[in-house]
């Protein structure tokens, strides 16, 4: 069956070194906004899920949240605890 599944654009953030990925495609931080918006073009669900390692500094997450608010996107956050 070919119904489109609504799912958010996933932005993954790792730290040391900082690595950003949009739907698992690694992108430099300065291209993060344009990549998120590009991914949004094919999405029915205009939301972003930020998946961040616990060690990622808050300011980096705030930067990503700012991209969302500037572009009227719904933002969610899930943090991974290191096992």
């Amino acid at each position: 069956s070919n119904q489109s599944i609504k799912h958010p654009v996933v932005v993954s953030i790792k730290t040391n070194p900082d690595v950003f990925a949009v739907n698992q495609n690694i992108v430099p931080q300065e291209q993060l906004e344009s990549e998120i918006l590009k991914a949004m073009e094919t999405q029915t669900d205009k939301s972003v899920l930020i998946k961040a390692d616990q060690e990622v500094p808050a300011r980096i997450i705030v930067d990503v949240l700012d991209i969302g608010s500037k572009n009227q996107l719904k933002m969610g956050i899930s943090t991974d605890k290191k096992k």
Side-chain angles (χ1 to χ4, degrees):
S1 66
N2 187 4
Q3 74 247 44
S4 69
I5 299 167
K6 285 180 63 158
H7 52 83
V9 170
V10 177
V11 176
S12 314
I13 311 172
K14 298 192 183 326
T15 195
N16 291 324
D18 293 346
V19 177
F20 298 84
V22 177
N23 289 339
Q24 301 181 328
N25 303 312
I26 293 179
V27 295
Q29 185 172 9
E30 60 274 11
Q31 287 173 26
L32 200 54
E33 181 169 12
S34 59
E35 286 297 322
I36 289 171
L37 295 177
K38 205 162 73 179
M40 280 295 159
E41 289 169 9
T42 58
Q43 293 282 120
T44 49
D45 182 5
K46 301 294 182 201
S47 63
V48 175
L49 177 62
I50 301 170
K51 296 181 104 162
D53 285 348
Q54 229 181 359
E55 294 78 21
V56 172
R59 65 181 163 76
I60 291 183
I61 293 176
V62 168
D63 284 347
V64 180
L65 290 172
D66 283 347
I67 294 174
S69 59
K70 193 168 85 176
N71 293 285
Q72 285 91 48
L73 306 172
K74 295 197 295 282
M75 306 293 278
I77 302 177
S78 88
T79 49
D80 286 332
K81 295 180 175 56
K82 282 268 189 295
K83 301 279 179 293

